[in-house]
DNA sequence: ATACATACC
DNA sequence: TACTGGTATGTAT
């Protein structure tokens, strides 16, 4: 084979195997040396062989694409260019620079937590994970090329002194909760992306912040006294964890809160965005002794890129002007953009595209070579556009569990493992009170080849037996297909999806508690009508919770009346706590009328915000409803309260904007809470009614929950889930009759 | 609806 | 010795 070809292939493959210097902390290391070690350590392994295979598949895709490109005529290109420009103009018109979006990201999160809790590790290269796989590494280790998603044994080759600490998820979760409490102070509707990362919309906070007194912007250091002045300065700039020269070997064991620093040990933060974000990061560091980085930008896509810019322990603000955005985008590597991964990068590179400006220059071509969703995304990226509305965390769509193990070839062992996975999955499903219709089995053989096999049932299931009945069938089929060769597995997984609550919808938020219980639609006969679940109670209950919970996506705060767009009950609780403390502060020196005017002010502000939010959200939903019109429709209801705000805010356009269901004369309002038609054309009156309705409902429902306080955690509320597992479902008969394989029977119970 | 691939942390 | 696990989404059939 010709030299040139061989070498380009190798280089291409490197992009798959080799280290990504994409991430922070990788500057000025010996790339070639590192890559050589990685390749040498991997070479010849099954994993490596499979990666080679996959890389060749990508190469084929690229070849196909290049052929397609060669067939494109000037005329096609011109037409495409016109089309692209049309879309681009529309996108440009929708550009919204009015929001302030922040992306926060903890620095080397897991590693930083472990270092904090074990000072021994502070000056050593370390990583969190196992010999098989690392989750993250500290900055020390990154100098050696050790990074997340790298197997530990390779990392050890790169850095023999590397210390590998096992994962301790409970600890990370606890820290995560701490930082989320702080996030909620800046945006109660923040969206967590993972334990250590979140998007926040700072716009509302900043508006309020302008009127805050200094005292509200003053925050204290957690440590005091024994530190010298220089040490204090250092602590301001350096992470106590990420850098070895941080002051004081181990901080005095004071609680993260409640310890007042003496006068002087505080900092007053300004009212600008940068100050607000700096303040948030400061509070995170004081509370957790861990540092965070942040990006500030007019949309989510940009904010995410920005948060990487001054990592670790830094922040970067991209000004909200079109010019600044386009400047920023210009030389930005496409790979930095969320959603463009290894493969997309490689395909784009093949077209000579490596930066976002290239992307913009090649849009006509891209529109002919990629799917509509793909090129639309590329176009948005090239214009520096992204979402300006942070959606609440969506309900989960699937739940799965999978495990990697030493080769497993015996049928009985595979079946018992499968059952084990189903047990784990069923347990998790119970915790969230979910039921799903589609069961998917995932298999990975010792050659790293992955297969998935799915089956959709007429009814949603959740119990071990139900899930296993399906998973086992799928597994058996695979075993049979392979026989007489055994399946030589290295991984098995079971996933369940198509949750009943998402599909069988009655789009009416009738009961908030119903939602809080997170009861889901239930279809009490199991898979193939094998056995009937006993008990009417169960059915009634399930039915009730169906109508109760379907499609509710916001919770209404009983204190401030505002809709809190979250399904995270911790967030909701935090919001209520805040409201209660605000209210008590405010009513301390005032009377009821005082409170009323406060809330009026609040409402006005809220309504203005609602208009903007709604506008942005509409865009998001239009996209969705294209794909799934039903979902788009169902969201009409949940928006109706806000829609009213919109109408109220802008009376003149109200009738033209909002298609009214009846009455050509004028708007007739139906209360989204009580479902009764309100005989009024006065929006203020109608809004007042809705507020009352919402409030009454919440209070009523909360009051009815006599048991165990107001426990908002669905997991802990056993009212519905508890019953579900009590009926000891008899072992299914179908299962027993399954047939020839005797060894299988023992796995059925 | 199913299978597979890509992406993110 | 050893290359994860959980979730979402896009693409093709």
């Amino acid at each position: 084979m010709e030299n040139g070809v061989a070498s380009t292939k190798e280089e291409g493959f490197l992009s798959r195997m080799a280290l990504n210097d994409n991430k922070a902390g990788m500057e000025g290391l010996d790339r070639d040396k590192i890559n050589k070690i990685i390749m040498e350590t991997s070479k010849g392994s099954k994993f490596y062989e499979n990666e080679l295979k996959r890389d060749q598949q990508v190469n084929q895709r690229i070849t196909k694409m290049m052929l397609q490109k060669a067939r494109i005529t000037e005329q096609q290109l011109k037409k495409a260019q016109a089309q692209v420009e049309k879309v681009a103009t529309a996108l440009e018109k929708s550009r919204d620079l009015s929001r302030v979006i922040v992306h926060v990201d903890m620095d080397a999160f897991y590693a930083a937590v472990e270092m904090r809790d074990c000072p021994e590790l502070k000056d050593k290269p370390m990583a969190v994970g196992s010999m098989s796989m690392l989750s993250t590494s500290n900055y020390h280790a990154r100098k050696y090329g050790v990074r997340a998603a790298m197997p530990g044994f390779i990392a050890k080759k790169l850095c023999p002194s590397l210390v590998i600490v096992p994962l301790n998820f409970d600890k990370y979760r606890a820290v995560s909760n701490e930082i989320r409490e702080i996030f909620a102070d800046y945006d109660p509707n923040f969206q967590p992306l993972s334990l250590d990362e979140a998007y926040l919309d700072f716009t509302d906070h900043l508006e309020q912040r302008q009127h805050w007194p200094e005292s509200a912007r003053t925050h204290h250091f957690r440590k005091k006294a024994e530190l010298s002045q220089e040490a204090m300065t250092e602590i301001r700039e350096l992470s106590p964890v990420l850098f070895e020269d941080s002051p004081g070997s181990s901080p005095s064991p004071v609680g993260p809160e409640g310890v007042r620093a003496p006068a002087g040990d505080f900092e007053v933060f300004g009212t600008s965005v940068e100050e607000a974000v700096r303040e948030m990061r400061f509070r995170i560091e004081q509370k957790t002794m861990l540092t965070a980085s942040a990006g500030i930008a007019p949309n989510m896509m940009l904010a995410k890129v920005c948060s990487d810019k001054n990592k670790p322990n830094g922040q970067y603000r991209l000004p909200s002007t079109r010019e600044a955005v386009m400047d920023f985008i210009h030389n930005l590597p496409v790979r930095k953009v969320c959603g463009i991964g290894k493969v997309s990068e490689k395909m784009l590179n093949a077209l000579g595209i490596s930066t976002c400006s290239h992307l913009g220059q090649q849009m006509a071509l891209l529109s002919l070579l990629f799917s509509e969703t793909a090129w639309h995304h590329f176009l948005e990226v090239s214009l520096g556009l992204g979402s300006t509305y942070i959606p609440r965390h969506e309900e989960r769509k699937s739940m799965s569990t999978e495990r990697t193990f030493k080769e497993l070839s015996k049928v009985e062992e595979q079946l018992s493992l499968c059952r084990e996975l189903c047990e784990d999955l069923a347990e998790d499903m119970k915790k969230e009170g979910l039921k799903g219709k589609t069961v998917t089995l995932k298999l990975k053989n010792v050659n790293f080849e992955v297969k998935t096999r799915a089956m959709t049932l007429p009814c949603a299931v959740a119990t071990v037996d139900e899930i296993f009945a399906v998973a086992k069938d799928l597994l058996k089929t695979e075993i049979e297909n392979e026989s007489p060769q055994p399946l030589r597995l290295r991984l098995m997984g079971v996933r369940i999806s198509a949750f009943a609550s998402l599909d069988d919808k009655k789009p009416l938020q009738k009961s908030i508690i119903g939602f809080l219980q997170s009861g889901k639609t239930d279809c009490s006969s199991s898979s193939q009508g094998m056995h009937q679940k006993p008990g009417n109670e169960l059915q009634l209950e399930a039915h009730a919770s169906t109508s109760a919970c379907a499609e509710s996506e916001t919770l209404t705060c009983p204190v401030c009346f505002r809709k809190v767009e979250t399904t995270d009950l911790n967030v909701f609780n935090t919001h209520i706590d805040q409201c209660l403390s605000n209210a008590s502060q405010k009513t301390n020196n005032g009377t009821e009328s005082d409170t009323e005017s406060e809330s009026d002010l609040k409402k006005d502000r809220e309504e203005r915000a609602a208009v903007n939010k709604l506008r942005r959200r509409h865009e998001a939903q239009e996209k969705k409803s294209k794909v799934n019109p039903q979902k788009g429709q169902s969201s009409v209801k949940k928006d109706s309260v806000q829609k009213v705000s919109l109408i109220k805010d802008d009376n003149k356009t109200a009738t033209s904007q909002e298609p009214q269901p009846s009455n050509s004369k004028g708007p007739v309002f139906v209360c989204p809470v009580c479902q009764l038609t309100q005989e009024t054309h006065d929006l203020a009156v109608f809004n007042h009614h809705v507020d009352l309705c919402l409030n009454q409902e919440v209070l009523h429902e909360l009051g009815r929950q006599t048991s165990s306080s107001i426990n908002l955690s669905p997991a802990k509320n056993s009212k519905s889930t508890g019953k579900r597992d009590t009926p000891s479902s008899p072992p299914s008969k179908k299962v027993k009759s399954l047939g020839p394989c005797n060894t299988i029977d023992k796995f059925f119970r």
Side-chain angles (χ1 to χ4, degrees):
Chain A
M1 190 167 280
E2 196 194 336
N3 244 352
V5 174
S7 83
T8 43
K9 277 226 164 117
E10 283 244 326
E11 272 168 39
F13 187 51
L14 270 177
S15 76
R16 168 173 289 270
M17 293 294 289
L19 111 147
N20 241 328
D21 22 16
N22 197 18
K23 283 278 193 252
M26 313 236 84
E27 302 78 14
L29 30 68
D30 193 343
R31 255 191 74 167
D32 293 346
K33 198 176 151 196
I34 290 167
N35 284 335
K36 205 177 143 208
I37 296 176
I38 294 177
M39 289 305 253
E40 274 168 10
T41 312
S42 307
K43 216 148 209 166
S45 68
K46 300 280 194 184
F47 177 81
Y48 178 92
E49 295 302 321
N50 187 254
E51 287 299 292
L52 257 183
K53 203 180 91 189
R54 290 181 33 164
D55 186 60
Q56 276 155 22
Q57 282 171 11
V58 172
N59 287 337
Q60 274 184 17
R61 266 177 80 182
I62 290 174
T63 307
K64 233 173 91 183
M65 179 181 74
M66 297 310 272
L67 285 174
Q68 221 180 315
K69 182 194 170 197
R71 272 189 265 119
I72 293 172
T73 65
E74 276 298 315
Q75 202 172 30
Q76 284 175 309
L77 208 58
K78 239 180 203 156
K79 207 178 135 195
Q81 182 65 39
Q83 163 75 355
V84 166
E85 270 164 27
K86 227 173 65 186
V87 179
T89 308
L91 284 174
E92 188 59 56
K93 239 173 32 192
S94 78
R95 188 189 292 271
D96 178 0
L97 294 166
S98 71
R99 309 304 295 183
V100 182
I101 307 294
V102 175
H103 178 257
V104 214
D105 192 350
M106 298 297 288
D107 302 320
F109 187 47
Y110 299 169
V113 172
E114 298 303 337
M115 286 164 83
R116 178 193 70 176
D117 295 349
C118 180
E120 307 270 285
L121 295 171
K122 260 201 328 189
D123 28 278
K124 295 179 184 144
M126 61 86 70
V128 180
S130 70
M131 261 323 214
S132 304
M133 187 50 60
L134 302 180
S135 286
T136 189
S137 56
N138 68 5
Y139 281 77
H140 219 313
R142 289 184 198 189
K143 289 185 215 143
Y144 297 84
V146 173
R147 45 158 297 131
M150 176 181 279
F153 69 93
I154 291 180
K156 277 282 201 185
K157 290 243 160 110
L158 293 172
C159 173
S161 61
L162 180 75
V163 180
I164 297 179
V165 180
L167 284 156
N168 192 343
F169 263 108
D170 290 338
K171 218 156 69 174
Y172 315 142
R173 256 192 293 275
V175 180
S176 184
N177 287 333
E178 291 189 282
I179 63 175
R180 286 178 187 188
E181 280 177 27
I182 295 175
F183 293 162
D185 284 344
Y186 297 88
D187 176 6
N189 304 315
F190 74 92
Q191 185 193 42
L193 292 180
S194 60
L195 289 182
D196 76 315
E197 231 180 288
Y199 285 113
L200 291 80
D201 187 336
F202 260 59
T203 318
D204 294 349
H205 168 79
L206 289 169
E207 197 184 312
Q208 291 171 45
R209 192 180 178 85
Q210 304 313 308
H211 315 118
W212 282 13
E214 276 199 0
S215 62
R217 294 181 270 111
T218 301
H219 294 274
H220 295 264
F221 288 93
R222 79 199 314 248
K223 295 199 291 175
K224 58 283 137 151
E226 66 262 30
L227 288 175
S228 65
Q229 196 48 51
E230 301 108 275
M232 284 311 294
T233 316
E234 262 182 27
I235 224 178
R236 275 164 224 229
E237 267 131 0
L238 296 174
S239 151
V241 167
L242 292 172
F243 303 93
E244 34 270 51
D245 51 328
S246 75
S249 46
S250 68
S252 53
V254 291
E257 277 169 329
V259 179
R260 281 275 136 163
D265 288 357
F266 61 81
E267 187 160 350
V268 181
F269 294 86
T271 56
S272 67
V273 209
E274 272 134 317
E275 282 292 285
V277 172
R278 218 166 56 73
E279 173 190 279
M280 178 178 68
R281 294 199 298 116
F282 174 88
R283 291 176 62 196
I284 290 170
E285 181 169 342
Q286 294 309 309
K287 189 170 182 176
T288 67
M289 302 208 297
L290 304 167
T291 61
S293 298
I296 308 160
N299 67 53
M300 290 166 76
M301 179 249 133
L302 294 168
K304 173 114 197 203
V305 179
C306 287
S307 72
D308 207 46
K309 194 120 181 154
N310 285 329
K311 213 166 222 309
N313 199 16
Q315 63 187 56
Y316 180 85
R317 182 175 81 94
L318 176 57
S320 292
T321 66
R322 187 179 189 277
E323 198 194 0
V325 169
M326 295 312 277
D327 255 23
F328 182 80
I329 281 297
H330 193 261
N331 283 320
L332 185 68
V334 289
R335 184 63 232 268
K336 292 271 183 190
V337 176
C338 189
I340 300 182
K342 280 179 179 180
V343 174
S344 304
E345 180 193 30
K346 195 172 174 177
M347 302 227 294
L348 291 171
N349 284 170
L351 298 168
I353 295 166
S354 57
T355 69
C356 294
S357 51
H358 298 156
L359 220 46
Q361 291 153 16
Q362 300 294 318
M363 273 318 302
L365 180 62
L366 293 173
S367 77
L368 294 169
L369 296 177
F370 288 82
S371 71
E372 190 180 67
T373 29
W375 75 258
H376 278 193
H377 181 235
F378 293 150
L379 180 57
E380 289 187 16
V381 169
S382 75
L383 292 168
L385 295 170
S387 178
T388 56
Y389 170 69
I390 300 179
R392 76 187 186 303
H393 199 62
E394 302 249 352
E395 285 171 87
R396 73 153 73 240
K397 296 183 171 64
S398 73
M399 183 180 275
S400 67
T401 182
E402 69 186 50
R403 221 160 285 155
T404 296
F405 35 76
K406 269 202 348 229
E407 174 172 349
L408 207 57
S409 315
K410 295 200 190 105
V411 174
E412 317 91 77
E413 287 174 352
Q414 291 169 348
L415 283 162
S416 77
L417 181 74
C418 180
R419 176 155 183 108
E420 221 176 275
L421 290 166
C422 292
E423 279 163 5
D424 292 354
L425 185 56
E427 197 186 312
D428 292 345
M429 292 285 285
K430 202 172 85 179
K431 278 186 206 150
E432 298 196 25
L434 292 169
K435 289 184 156 232
K437 285 191 288 200
T438 304
V439 176
T440 307
L441 179 73
K442 176 175 170 182
L443 302 173
K444 178 148 69 180
N445 67 18
V446 291
N447 296 319
F448 288 86
E449 293 160 337
V450 178
K451 248 184 214 172
T452 59
R453 293 291 175 264
M455 159 105 87
T456 300
L457 306 165
C459 286
V461 296
T463 67
V464 187
D465 293 317
E466 290 164 334
I467 299 171
F468 182 57
V470 182
K472 175 219 63 205
D473 273 358
L474 295 168
L475 177 57
K476 270 186 65 188
T477 307
E478 283 316 297
I479 291 171
E480 279 160 23
N481 284 346
E482 204 79 352
S483 71
Q485 263 88 40
L487 291 178
R488 302 179 59 198
L489 302 177
R490 84 179 322 271
L491 171 145
M492 191 186 296
V494 181
R495 175 164 70 247
I496 185 155
S497 52
F499 295 134
S501 59
L502 293 177
D503 292 330
D504 311 17
K505 57 186 120 206
K506 297 195 187 169
L508 171 58
Q509 180 180 342
K510 194 51 184 143
S511 153
I512 284 163
I513 291 299
F515 165 72
L516 297 177
Q517 282 172 198
S518 196
K520 303 294 171 187
T521 1
D522 191 328
C523 161
S524 20
S525 68
S526 79
S527 53
Q528 279 101 18
M530 309 194 299
H531 48 261
Q532 192 75 22
K533 283 268 181 72
N536 288 329
E537 271 177 23
L538 178 66
Q539 293 192 25
L540 285 174
E541 166 121 21
H543 186 71
S545 66
T546 297
S547 54
C549 73
E551 284 298 303
S552 69
E553 286 162 350
T554 62
L555 298 171
T556 304
C557 172
V559 183
C560 73
F561 293 89
R562 289 179 61 168
K563 290 171 82 80
V564 180
E565 273 177 54
T566 182
T567 51
D568 187 328
L569 296 164
N570 286 323
V571 173
F572 186 53
N573 274 335
T574 309
H575 172 95
I576 294 177
D577 286 347
Q578 256 188 299
C579 269
L580 286 172
S581 68
N582 279 351
S584 66
Q585 272 174 24
K586 278 163 186 164
T587 46
N588 269 348
N589 44 4
T591 51
E592 282 167 13
S593 61
D594 235 323
T595 325
E596 256 177 38
S597 63
E598 282 285 349
S599 93
D600 277 354
L601 278 174
K602 223 175 197 173
K603 271 193 208 167
D604 275 355
R605 203 166 21 70
E606 157 75 1
E607 278 149 17
R608 248 176 292 121
V611 178
N612 282 321
K613 202 174 228 181
L614 188 59
R615 192 182 301 135
R616 285 175 285 120
R617 196 211 294 217
H618 262 313
E619 284 162 25
Q621 273 167 11
E622 261 163 43
K623 278 185 198 161
K624 271 196 173 175
S625 56
K626 241 191 215 167
V627 183
N628 187 347
Q630 285 196 332
K631 294 217 165 140
Q633 249 178 28
S634 77
S635 49
V636 168
K637 271 256 154 77
K638 87 186 167 233
D639 276 351
S640 44
V641 172
Q642 275 184 321
K643 278 191 180 179
V644 172
S645 299
L646 173 67
I647 297 166
K648 187 181 179 181
D649 203 272
D650 189 358
N651 260 324
K652 284 165 195 165
T653 53
T655 40
S656 55
Q657 271 186 356
E658 296 296 316
Q660 293 305 323
S662 60
N663 235 341
S664 51
K665 280 217 159 188
V668 166
F669 297 121
V670 179
C671 172
V673 182
C674 71
Q675 298 292 306
L676 294 174
T677 303
Q678 297 306 300
E679 293 298 331
T680 176
H681 289 200
D682 184 334
L683 287 155
V685 173
F686 178 71
N687 272 341
H688 185 66
H689 165 88
V690 175
D691 280 344
L692 284 178
C693 244
L694 281 169
N695 203 28
Q696 267 183 12
E697 174 147 273
V698 175
L699 295 176
H700 179 66
E701 295 279 346
L702 292 178
R704 236 177 28 197
Q705 283 272 301
T706 47
S707 65
S708 66
S709 79
I710 305 165
N711 189 350
L712 296 178
S713 163
K716 285 180 189 155
N717 195 322
S718 57
K719 207 178 167 197
S720 56
T721 51
K723 273 185 188 165
R724 234 170 248 154
D725 58 335
T726 23
S728 52
S729 29
S732 122
K733 278 147 213 160
K734 192 201 172 220
V735 154
K736 286 251 154 111
S737 67
L738 250 178
C741 183
N742 282 330
T743 54
I744 289 174
D745 268 349
K746 68 175 167 226
F747 299 106
F748 286 140
R749 309 188 329 94

